[in-house]
Amino acid sequence: MKWNREVFGHIGRRKTLLLAHIKGIEVARARTDLQFLSELEMELKHELAKVLEDEESMWHQKLRSS
């Protein structure tokens, strides 16, 4: 667990926060479609994709070590 935190960080927490932020932006964009919200949403989705890649890598590492 310590190695996972040091190498991958808190992937679950980061993933949950990113998903919550993206959902909040989607709600805000439903009311008003401001350019900066679109750009922020795109940035967060790219960051989420990176977190999902890290999560997949973590699971592969766990499978190899068992």
Side-chain angles (χ1 to χ4, degrees), residues 10-28:
H10 295 280
I11 290 177
R13 185 180 304 149
R14 288 184 4 219
K15 184 173 136 182
T16 300
L17 287 173
L18 285 168
L19 288 169
H21 282 104
I22 291 168
K23 183 169 179 66
I25 290 170
E26 288 172 347
V27 169

Side-chain angles (χ1 to χ4, degrees), residues 50-65:
K50 173 68 174 125
V51 167
L52 293 174
E53 288 175 14
D54 289 347
E55 183 180 44
E56 183 177 352
S57 179
M58 179 189 71
W59 285 111
H60 284 282
Q61 290 290 336
K62 281 186 176 189
L63 286 173
R64 285 187 205 140
S65 67

Side-chain angles (χ1 to χ4, degrees), residues 35-49:
Q35 181 64 31
F36 84 94
L37 288 175
S38 298
E39 292 170 4
L40 181 57
E41 182 179 19
M42 191 168 58
E43 285 179 33
L44 291 174
K45 285 183 176 182
H46 285 292
E47 191 174 337
L48 178 60

